[in-house]
């Protein structure tokens, strides 16, 4: 049985930026089976569908899972109303995650906004060999900077309005970094336009690049074909399931033009 | 314990709960939650003669007590179904229902003919898919075309044929009767109800296909009414579906006239939905002292 439905207690909850919550949930079975880049599907009262949220971390010894989510609509609003001590119904771990094989490689990690959380365990793998370029609307929306630094990674913070760090998009900061230092491998998660930009630069330079995609989901396990994204198949464009074949894809597999 | 088995068109299911087409793939994924041998049957994803790409995403939108989908029959095609998925599913000890869709009558016939030589237990004729441009629901909305596709497929199929009806019609009873008269061995209903959602900020439909099919608890009362209406009009078994989420819904659907039920959208929220429904029905039947769960079918006491 690859998938588990588990109900666990929320051990900790913090609002780490306005409307962005960081929760730790006791989910030993899911934590045990988890790998970096996978996600879980959370039930929040009264909705027909679960809400997919990436693993920002998991501790197999403690049996806990860390999730960071932003209030976007009705479901995440409901989720934000849960407090420490409440029980959460979670299905997971789901999907195909990041592949990380050699921590001596020089990795560049590019995150945009709420796409940043699943990248934290990637930085924890590469530690001092990771450079983390993350972008947010404004300084107060920036998250996880200390966590990335604590992992030993070098962080480059970008804000759209220049209120902190580099004034501009992550893609610009990323290109400047590549020109100056180069790297062996790239990981990215964030708005599609950002990932498309990152993927383009990576592909032009022949650097291995993994992207974590999002799509609206039904089952979350690969059965319903609702969550597809366009990829390049043997016979041309095809639709792959983000919940099963992804959420992490190789940048070269994705059909960015559709 | 009551006998939970039911027989529809000569095929005995170990219990009346079937996973609904399109929500359950070929059973492989949910078999990672529980052994799907516990199910009465699995209705497979709609299969077409050739592989189908499906519609562009987004393909799903949530709504009050339901969802809209516009998958558009993405499937690997009949050859893959027969060579890859069917052999695996056949080993799982549950009834296999092949849900088929074509864009012409001849395509339906060709698929049915080729499936006749395989191990599928029942062919479910999907003449009710609202998400494809050609074929699909257009076959299911007039008595003449329902009769035509049903009778032609019956001539070429060695397997029992269950015709899946669309609720997007004026008189479901007439359509059901037309299918029965044309030789259908059973009927299943309802497929999804055509709907639409629009993002008020962008003024764009949420679904890339603009419209999609509504399923989930929102459609349940419509489904109960239609199953009951059809049950009264025909003498062949009716398989009821549409919004069944808990065992009470399944019992209600059977009382309305269903010999068996299918459960679709409910699997998304609760991957164990089918199992919980089977267990609930077992307790219910036992508490009523029924010899067989089949005794429930059509027992509504209408005013
Ligand atoms: C693999 C994956 C991992 C994700 N990881 C995170 C994460 O770590 N942190 C985080 O804050 N968010 C994450 N998201 C996005 C998150 O799932 C959506 O923000 C959330 O579903 C919105 O739900 P809602 O009810 O608040 O919004 P509504 O707009 O009310 O939701 C309506 C429907 O659309 C779906 N939906 C809306 N936006 C999205 C979206 N961007 N992606 C997928 N489905 C959507 C909802 O699930 C729901 O079914 C992830 C999405 C995916 C697919
Ligand atoms: C994502 C999705 C895909 C579906 N695909 C098919 C299909 O391929 N063939 C078919 O006959 N019905 C299909 N259906 C309809 C269901 O089998 C069922 O008739 C309908 O959803 C109502 O039941 P429910 O409310 O329990 O889901 C699909 C439904 C959904 C939600
Ligand atoms: S959400 Fe069902 S296949 Fe991905």
């Amino acid at each position: 049985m690859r998938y588990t439905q588990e109900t666990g207690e929320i051990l900790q909850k913090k609002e780490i930026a306005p409307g962005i919550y960081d929760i730790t949930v006791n989910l030993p079975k899911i934590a045990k089976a988890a790998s970096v880049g996978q996600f879980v599907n959370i039930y929040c009262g009264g909705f027909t569908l679960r809400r997919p949220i990436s693993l920002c971390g998991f501790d197999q010894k403690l049996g806990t899972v860390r999730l960071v989510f932003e209030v976007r609509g009705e479901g995440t609003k409901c989720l934000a109303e849960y407090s420490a001590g409440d029980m959460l119904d979670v299905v997971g771990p789901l999907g195909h995650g990041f592949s990380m094989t050699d921590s001596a490689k020089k990795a560049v990690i590019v995150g945009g906004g709420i796409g940043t959380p699943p990248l934290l365990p990637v930085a924890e793998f590469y530690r001092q060999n990771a450079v983390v370029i993350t972008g947010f609307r404004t300084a107060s929306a920036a998250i996880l900077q200390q966590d990335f630094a604590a992992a030993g990674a070098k962080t480059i913070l970008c804000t759209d309005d220049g209120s902190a760090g580099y004034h501009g998009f992550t893609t610009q900061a990323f290109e400047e970094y590549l020109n100056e230092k180069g790297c062996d491998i790239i990981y990215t998660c964030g708005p599609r336009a950002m990932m498309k930009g990152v993927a383009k630069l990576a592909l032009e330079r022949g650097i291995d690049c993994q992207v974590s995609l999002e799509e609206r989901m039904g089952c979350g396990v690969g059965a319903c074909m609702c969550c597809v994204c366009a990829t390049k198949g043997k016979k041309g464009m095809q639709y792959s399931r983000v919940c099963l074949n992804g959420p992490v894809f190789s940048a070269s597999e994705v059909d960015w033009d559709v | 314990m009551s006998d939970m088995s039911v027989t529809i068109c000569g095929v005995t299911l170990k219990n009346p709960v079937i996973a609904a087409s399109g929500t359950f793939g070929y059973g492989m994924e949910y078999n990672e939650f529980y052994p799907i041998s516990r199910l009465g049957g699995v209705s497979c994803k709609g299969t077409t003669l050739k592989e189908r790409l499906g519609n562009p995403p987004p393909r799903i939108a949530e709504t009050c007590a339901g969802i809209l989908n516009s998958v558009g029959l993405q499937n690997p095609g009949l050859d893959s179904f027969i060579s890859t998925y069917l052999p695996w599913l056949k080993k799982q000890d549950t009834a296999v229902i092949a849900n088929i869709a074509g864009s012409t009558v001849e395509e339906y016939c060709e698929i049915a003919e080729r499936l006749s030589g395989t191990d599928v237990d029942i062919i479910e004729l999907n003449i009710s898919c609202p998400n494809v441009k050609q074929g699909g629901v257009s076959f299911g909305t007039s008595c003449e075309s329902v009769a035509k596709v049903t009778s032609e497929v019956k001539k070429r199929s060695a397997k029992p044929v269950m015709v899946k009806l669309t609720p997007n019609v004026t008189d479901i009873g007439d359509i059901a009767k037309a299918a029965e008269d044309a030789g259908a061995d059973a009927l299943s209903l309802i497929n999804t109800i055509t709907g639409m959602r629009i993002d008020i900020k962008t003024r764009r439909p949420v679904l890339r296909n603009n419209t999609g099919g509504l399923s989930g608890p929102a459609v349940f009362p419509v489904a109960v009414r239609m199953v009951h209406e059809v049950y009264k009009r025909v003498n062949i078994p009716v398989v009821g579906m549409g919004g069944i989420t808990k065992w009470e819904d399944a019992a209600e659907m059977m009382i309305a006239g269903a010999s068996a039920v299918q459960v679709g959208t409910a699997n998304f929220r609760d991957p164990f939905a089918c199992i919980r429904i089977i267990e609930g029905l077992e307790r219910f039947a036992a508490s009523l002292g029924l010899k067989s769960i089949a005794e429930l079918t059509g027992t509504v006491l209408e005013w």
Side-chain angles (χ1 to χ4, degrees), chain A residues 169-209:
Chain A
F169 295 129
T170 43
T171 38
Q172 295 166 289
F174 170 64
E175 185 164 12
E176 285 170 24
Y177 183 86
L178 274 192
N179 289 340
E180 215 178 301
K181 301 268 172 63
C183 71
D184 305 320
I185 189 160
I186 298 162
Y187 297 87
T188 182
C189 183
R192 188 172 168 100
M194 181 203 89
M195 290 195 283
K196 185 176 176 177
V198 170
K200 184 165 173 278
L201 288 168
L203 294 174
E204 279 167 9
R205 292 165 203 228
I207 309 170
D208 182 13
C209 176

Side-chain angles (χ1 to χ4, degrees), chain B residues 63-130:
Chain B
T63 187
C64 250
I67 55 170
L68 295 175
N69 90 81
S70 58
V71 171
L73 287 177
Q74 178 174 352
N75 80 94
L78 183 63
D79 289 336
S80 283
F81 174 71
I82 293 174
S83 64
T84 310
Y85 299 100
L86 186 56
W88 178 86
L89 191 50
K90 236 3 241 186
K91 279 191 245 146
Q92 309 309 312
D93 185 27
T94 186
V96 177
I97 299 172
N99 181 283
I100 69 168
S103 42
T104 60
V105 170
E106 181 48 34
E107 257 180 49
Y108 278 102
C109 292
E110 204 174 322
I111 302 171
E113 195 168 83
R114 291 209 27 221
L115 286 173
S116 294
T118 69
D119 285 337
V120 307
D121 295 296
I122 298 173
I123 292 177
E124 183 171 47
L125 214 56
N126 176 6
I127 51 166
S128 46
C129 182

Side-chain angles (χ1 to χ4, degrees), chain A residues 39 47 49-55 68-77 114 117-118 212-217 242 247, chain B residues 60-62:
Chain A
F39 68 99
F47 295 91
L49 296 174
R50 289 172 177 264
R51 298 299 188 266
I53 301 291
S54 294
L55 297 173
V68 172
F69 66 91
E70 182 173 29
V71 174
R72 283 292 181 88
E74 292 298 316
T76 44
K77 185 170 161 230
I114 198 61
S212 180
L213 303 183
E214 264 184 16
E215 192 44 77
R216 287 170 185 255
M217 292 184 174
V242 171
Chain B
I60 184 166
E62 197 180 42

Side-chain angles (χ1 to χ4, degrees), chain A residues 78 80 204 238 253:
Chain A
C78 165
E204 279 167 9
Q238 63 180 24
E253 266 177 276

